[in-house]
Amino acid sequence: MKKTVTTLADGRELIYYDAAEDTVRDAVDQRPLDPVSTSSEIRRDPLLGDAVAIASHRQARTYHPPADACPLCPSREGRHGEIPDGHYDVAVFENRFPSLAGDSGRCEVVCFTSDHDASFADLTEEQAALVLAAWTDRTAALAALGQVTQVFCFENRGAEIGVTLGHPHGQIYGYPFVTPRTELMLRSAARHREETGANLFDAVVAREESDGSRVVLATDHWIAFVPYAAHWPYEVHLYPRRRVPDLRELDEGARTELPQVYLELLRRFDRIFGPGEPPTPYISAWHQAPFVADGREDFALHLELFTIRRTSGKLKFLAGSESGMSVFINDVPPEAAAERLREVASQ
């Protein structure tokens, strides 16, 4: 992999990740951009104790542009976007409309391919491996920033999820705090350690593998299953068999096998609802341990992949119980979801 770091016209950082070591990236951003001005602020909820990012400048972000005006496409034929070159493998840049900025953290955009009409599931294993390398490299880079406590690599896919740009891309958030969901996991892990002397994440994986009814696929280095108390209609958790706190710690075997496993899961998601159905909307979220936190050594890197589509043409909405009380009601039994995800395996 070759990494090339450059800057955009407004001073934001842009990083190219190329498979070929001899790739030259010297295109210049020709847009007359003003410096980025943000108003991101972190506020604490005194009742719940969680954090809320107030970012009013995001109201001006690009919203569902036509394909020929997509800012994530390569710059070609007089049309200039966020990536100055006419082609790229993987590109990462600072978000022009970040939720977190400055002392409040950092937000980056990850473009998985220059092909506007592709999806992550369309990538080759080699391309997916390059995205993994970029995620890992950015985790390491953001870990070195004093204001970043936790790194979150994720992809929102589909208009139903709220995606405003159709180009295949994800995001990376560098939070200046431990996120509420991670705090809950750390507390549960600490309680389990105190009560049993063992690791909670290891126990969860062992339980799923022993039961088997919710396992979707298993390989030498990875295991994917629908969790026992799945919140979403179709939800898969993917764990490396050797527990590690974040992407940087994956061994060579797990790193080599991941592209195949991850692509298989994404392709199965697109088959859940049968032929002729539109692509399945999903959120794909890498949970990594905070860099400085009690219990970091007990945390387990894992991926949570889920869709808000519950059946053909119907979405799962977060209504009163979910939004008002954080009590999820799932219409699809986890065992049935796992069975369906096994049925639609690649032939």
Side-chain angles (χ1 to χ4, degrees), residues 76-192:
R76 298 172 181 162
E77 300 170 353
R79 186 189 58 77
H80 302 293
E82 291 282 59
I83 298 138
D85 219 316
H87 179 273
Y88 61 85
D89 290 347
V90 175
V92 178
F93 60 86
E94 289 182 78
N95 198 325
R96 185 164 173 79
F97 303 98
S99 302
L100 309 166
D103 292 339
S104 297
R106 178 166 165 130
C107 292
E108 300 180 342
V109 177
V110 185
C111 296
F112 303 139
T113 171
S114 59
D115 183 354
H116 179 86
D117 298 317
S119 70
F120 202 119
D122 295 323
L123 300 183
T124 65
E125 289 183 25
E126 291 75 17
Q127 289 173 305
L130 192 59
V131 176
L132 171 60
W135 284 334
T136 305
D137 182 73
R138 296 315 302 156
T139 296
L142 296 185
L145 300 180
Q147 72 269 35
V148 172
T149 300
Q150 183 177 2
V151 171
F152 179 44
C153 305
F154 66 100
E155 180 191 2
N156 298 327
R157 194 261 199 133
E160 301 94 329
I161 296 293
V163 174
T164 58
L165 295 175
H167 196 102
H169 73 288
Q171 299 180 67
I172 301 175
Y173 276 21
Y175 294 104
F177 49 80
V178 179
T179 62
R181 190 173 177 86
T182 303
E183 284 188 336
L184 286 173
M185 292 183 195
L186 289 171
R187 286 204 294 270
S188 296
R191 183 168 59 250
H192 186 85

Side-chain angles (χ1 to χ4, degrees), residues 41-59:
E41 176 188 358
I42 303 297
R43 297 186 182 182
R44 287 281 176 178
D45 185 319
L47 297 181
L48 299 180
D50 58 7
V52 177
I54 309 297
S56 60
H57 62 277
R58 285 176 53 78
Q59 289 279 33

